[in-house]
Amino acid sequence: MIPKIITGGFHSDQRGTLFYNNDFDASPIKRMYVIENENTDFVRGWQGHKIEQRWFSTIKGSFRIQLIAIDNWEQPLKDCKSFTFIINAEKLDVLHVPQGYVSSIQSLEEESKLLVMSDYLLGEIKDEYRYESDYFGK
């Protein structure tokens, strides 16, 4: 499966703005948390899951999220295919990250906040993989 953006939208009138995503099915979600990087120079990566899938949505600011499909979890190739997404809080877009990917997350604006949703509870499975920030050379 390939990562994809589930496009949201917004409606504004005299009352204010309503942000929505009518195509996002939240039924698999078991937990969620928010990431706020220290600054825009910091890159949080590479971390991912063989089994768990995640969904990202920016609730303030904007983020660059790079994803790499892992071929071998013990010693992945350093030139695996990567995907880059920019998501921001202008719409309620949701980036779906299927199982089998690692991510690198960078705030593009100060005080940006990223909502992360997962289909497993914390500690439910042992499925966290981390690689050095320069492992893939990206």
Side-chain angles (χ1 to χ4, degrees):
M1 192 174 252
I2 295 177
K4 68 175 183 173
I5 296 282
I6 304 165
T7 305
F10 66 93
H11 172 77
S12 295
D13 61 21
Q14 71 279 5
R15 300 170 291 174
T17 303
L18 172 74
F19 297 87
Y20 60 87
N21 193 319
N22 295 331
D23 295 324
F24 173 54
D25 176 6
S27 59
I29 306 301
K30 290 187 176 182
R31 71 182 171 102
M32 59 185 173
Y33 53 94
V34 173
I35 292 173
E36 183 176 0
N37 285 343
E38 183 65 28
N39 57 54
T40 57
D41 295 325
F42 177 73
V43 179
R44 181 184 299 268
W46 293 94
Q47 177 182 330
H49 305 280
K50 188 191 282 191
I51 301 168
E52 181 179 320
Q53 55 184 329
R54 290 169 294 152
W55 295 262
F56 297 120
S57 187
T58 302
I59 54 178
K60 182 179 180 186
S62 59
F63 286 86
R64 175 184 298 114
I65 299 176
Q66 290 186 281
L67 303 171
I68 293 179
I70 299 299
D71 62 329
N72 176 329
W73 290 91
E74 301 310 315
Q75 189 172 2
L77 291 174
K78 296 188 180 213
D79 63 349
C80 291
K81 180 175 174 126
S82 67
F83 300 87
T84 300
F85 296 91
I86 305 293
I87 57 175
N88 59 55
E90 292 177 8
K91 298 186 298 177
L92 196 57
D93 287 349
V94 175
L95 172 59
H96 176 231
V97 181
Q99 61 190 37
Y101 286 84
V102 292
S103 63
S104 168
I105 300 169
Q106 182 176 15
S107 306
L108 298 177
E109 300 172 46
E110 295 296 329
E111 300 180 3
S112 292
K113 293 181 193 281
L114 183 68
L115 176 65
V116 183
M117 298 164 276
S118 170
D119 61 346
Y120 283 90
L121 296 172
L122 188 62
E124 185 175 358
I125 58 173
K126 185 175 177 165
D127 183 44
E128 187 169 310
Y129 294 83
R130 293 177 187 253
Y131 304 95
E132 294 298 320
S133 61
D134 62 349
Y135 184 88
F136 298 101
K138 302 195 184 305

